[in-house]
Every structure is written in C-alpha cells, then in structure tokens.
Amino acid sequence: VQLQASGGGLVQAGGSLRLSCAASGNIFRVNAMGWYRQAPGKQRELVAVWTNGGSTNYADFVKGRFTISRDNAKNTVDLQMNSLKPDDTAVYYCNAAITRWTGVSYDYWGQGTQVTVSS
C-alpha cells in the first residue's frame, strides 16, 4: 500500500491550500484516513481524520477553517485549508488505517508535504 500526498506550498496568512492524498495497492478496506502535521521542534499532531462510516474529527485549532473530504471510489482524502495562519506552518502527513485483502490491518504514512504560511 502506498499513500501519495500532494498540494503543499507557500501561502500568505489568510490564504488557502488544498492537500490531497491517494491510497493505492493491496486495499480491502480503508478504515480511517486523515492528516497529521509536525512543526519544527514539535510532536506530530492530528489535524483531521475521516473514519469508515463517514464521521470526521478535527483538532480544535482547525475547526471552522479546515475541511476534510473523502472519495470512497478513488480512496482519496482531501484537506481544504482556509484562513491559514503562520502557526499552521508544518510538514503535513497523510495517514491511513487500511485492511488488506489478507484481513490484516496496518497503519500507513505518506511522505510529508510542506505547508508554509507567511505573515
């Protein structure tokens, strides 16, 4: 299984970016898919996650600004980020909990994508 993330970049405060992540490979079921971020000198933290059944969960610091969406047919998840702040600057990582056709579930990480918000 591979997770391919895209969409990071440099934006001014107040601007928007959209991140995308596509899962491919030996996938029976995607149980959860979402985004984490890690700023320099800080621990990786949850940003937003979609879980099987359609529920979503957001970190308090992005509520009202970020929206996670999922395309079940394509095994993709997008993160629309609006009203970006300099504090949102971090490397963003796609994460997925996937059950393979063997019946075994694994946790996967995509490569990070840099988001930089200038003041």
Side-chain angles (χ1 to χ4, degrees):
V1 175
Q2 289 187 328
L3 301 183
Q4 182 67 46
S6 61
L10 172 64
V11 66
Q12 288 187 333
S16 298
L17 283 174
R18 189 176 183 90
L19 305 182
S20 295
C21 178
S24 61
N26 185 347
I27 299 172
F28 170 69
R29 183 179 63 242
V30 177
N31 302 309
M33 203 165 177
W35 293 91
Y36 288 70
R37 72 185 188 186
Q38 188 167 17
K42 295 186 178 181
Q43 291 187 331
R44 192 171 297 187
E45 59 186 356
L46 172 70
V47 176
V49 64
W50 168 94
T51 58
N52 201 358
S55 63
T56 56
N57 188 33
Y58 294 91
D60 287 344
F61 53 76
V62 302
K63 284 182 180 177
R65 299 189 298 126
F66 292 9
T67 303
I68 191 168
S69 59
R70 162 113 172 107
D71 186 325
N72 291 332
K74 297 180 180 179
N75 281 333
T76 60
V77 66
D78 290 352
L79 184 68
Q80 178 66 41
M81 305 185 294
N82 298 328
S83 302
L84 283 161
K85 306 175 182 178
D87 284 349
D88 294 319
T89 295
V91 178
Y92 284 69
Y93 295 91
C94 179
N95 172 266
I98 291 172
T99 300
R100 300 177 67 170
W101 285 101
T102 57
V104 181
S105 298
Y106 296 91
D107 201 48
Y108 294 92
W109 292 93
Q111 86 283 11
T113 184
Q114 178 71 46
V115 172
T116 303
V117 184
S118 63
S119 58

PDB file of all heavy atoms in Angstrom, residues 5 8 28 32 35 43 68 82:
ATOM      1  N   ALA A   5       0.823  11.884  -1.324  1.00  0.00           N
ATOM      2  CA  ALA A   5       0.284  13.179  -0.917  1.00  0.00           C
ATOM      3  C   ALA A   5       0.757  14.274  -1.863  1.00  0.00           C
ATOM      4  O   ALA A   5       1.861  14.190  -2.419  1.00  0.00           O
ATOM      5  CB  ALA A   5       0.711  13.493   0.507  1.00  0.00           C
ATOM      6  N   GLY A   8       0.997  20.766  -1.048  1.00  0.00           N
ATOM      7  CA  GLY A   8       1.561  21.747  -0.137  1.00  0.00           C
ATOM      8  C   GLY A   8       2.127  22.943  -0.886  1.00  0.00           C
ATOM      9  O   GLY A   8       2.096  23.005  -2.113  1.00  0.00           O
ATOM     10  N   PHE A  28      -8.283  -3.762   0.938  1.00  0.00           N
ATOM     11  CA  PHE A  28      -9.626  -4.336   1.060  1.00  0.00           C
ATOM     12  C   PHE A  28     -10.592  -3.292   1.587  1.00  0.00           C
ATOM     13  O   PHE A  28     -11.696  -3.132   1.094  1.00  0.00           O
ATOM     14  CB  PHE A  28      -9.602  -5.557   1.983  1.00  0.00           C
ATOM     15  CG  PHE A  28     -10.979  -6.061   2.344  1.00  0.00           C
ATOM     16  CD1 PHE A  28     -11.778  -6.664   1.387  1.00  0.00           C
ATOM     17  CD2 PHE A  28     -11.488  -5.922   3.636  1.00  0.00           C
ATOM     18  CE1 PHE A  28     -13.051  -7.121   1.698  1.00  0.00           C
ATOM     19  CE2 PHE A  28     -12.752  -6.376   3.956  1.00  0.00           C
ATOM     20  CZ  PHE A  28     -13.538  -6.974   2.990  1.00  0.00           C
ATOM     21  N   ALA A  32      -9.825   4.312   8.143  1.00  0.00           N
ATOM     22  CA  ALA A  32      -9.709   5.720   8.509  1.00  0.00           C
ATOM     23  C   ALA A  32      -8.635   6.341   7.635  1.00  0.00           C
ATOM     24  O   ALA A  32      -7.696   5.661   7.208  1.00  0.00           O
ATOM     25  CB  ALA A  32      -9.358   5.899   9.980  1.00  0.00           C
ATOM     26  N   TRP A  35      -5.097  13.445   8.154  1.00  0.00           N
ATOM     27  CA  TRP A  35      -3.895  14.265   8.087  1.00  0.00           C
ATOM     28  C   TRP A  35      -3.360  14.587   9.476  1.00  0.00           C
ATOM     29  O   TRP A  35      -4.142  14.881  10.396  1.00  0.00           O
ATOM     30  CB  TRP A  35      -4.190  15.576   7.353  1.00  0.00           C
ATOM     31  CG  TRP A  35      -4.509  15.366   5.912  1.00  0.00           C
ATOM     32  CD1 TRP A  35      -5.744  15.168   5.360  1.00  0.00           C
ATOM     33  CD2 TRP A  35      -3.575  15.313   4.834  1.00  0.00           C
ATOM     34  NE1 TRP A  35      -5.639  14.991   4.013  1.00  0.00           N
ATOM     35  CE2 TRP A  35      -4.322  15.082   3.656  1.00  0.00           C
ATOM     36  CE3 TRP A  35      -2.195  15.449   4.742  1.00  0.00           C
ATOM     37  CZ2 TRP A  35      -3.717  14.980   2.413  1.00  0.00           C
ATOM     38  CZ3 TRP A  35      -1.602  15.343   3.507  1.00  0.00           C
ATOM     39  CH2 TRP A  35      -2.352  15.109   2.355  1.00  0.00           C
ATOM     40  N   GLN A  43       5.909  17.825  18.388  1.00  0.00           N
ATOM     41  CA  GLN A  43       5.452  16.474  18.098  1.00  0.00           C
ATOM     42  C   GLN A  43       4.424  16.491  16.974  1.00  0.00           C
ATOM     43  O   GLN A  43       3.749  17.500  16.735  1.00  0.00           O
ATOM     44  CB  GLN A  43       4.838  15.846  19.348  1.00  0.00           C
ATOM     45  CG  GLN A  43       5.845  15.532  20.444  1.00  0.00           C
ATOM     46  CD  GLN A  43       5.220  14.753  21.593  1.00  0.00           C
ATOM     47  OE1 GLN A  43       4.031  14.876  21.867  1.00  0.00           O
ATOM     48  NE2 GLN A  43       6.012  13.919  22.242  1.00  0.00           N
ATOM     49  N   ILE A  68     -12.142  18.250   5.812  1.00  0.00           N
ATOM     50  CA  ILE A  68     -11.646  17.005   5.230  1.00  0.00           C
ATOM     51  C   ILE A  68     -12.773  16.364   4.425  1.00  0.00           C
ATOM     52  O   ILE A  68     -13.941  16.390   4.834  1.00  0.00           O
ATOM     53  CB  ILE A  68     -11.116  16.047   6.320  1.00  0.00           C
ATOM     54  CG1 ILE A  68     -10.361  14.880   5.690  1.00  0.00           C
ATOM     55  CG2 ILE A  68     -12.232  15.565   7.240  1.00  0.00           C
ATOM     56  CD1 ILE A  68      -9.566  14.055   6.696  1.00  0.00           C
ATOM     57  N   ASN A  82      -8.450  26.707   4.802  1.00  0.00           N
ATOM     58  CA  ASN A  82      -8.765  28.123   4.588  1.00  0.00           C
ATOM     59  C   ASN A  82      -8.305  28.941   5.782  1.00  0.00           C
ATOM     60  O   ASN A  82      -8.036  28.400   6.856  1.00  0.00           O
ATOM     61  CB  ASN A  82     -10.272  28.293   4.386  1.00  0.00           C
ATOM     62  CG  ASN A  82     -10.795  27.565   3.164  1.00  0.00           C
ATOM     63  OD1 ASN A  82     -10.098  27.424   2.159  1.00  0.00           O
ATOM     64  ND2 ASN A  82     -12.031  27.093   3.239  1.00  0.00           N
TER      65      ASN A  82
END
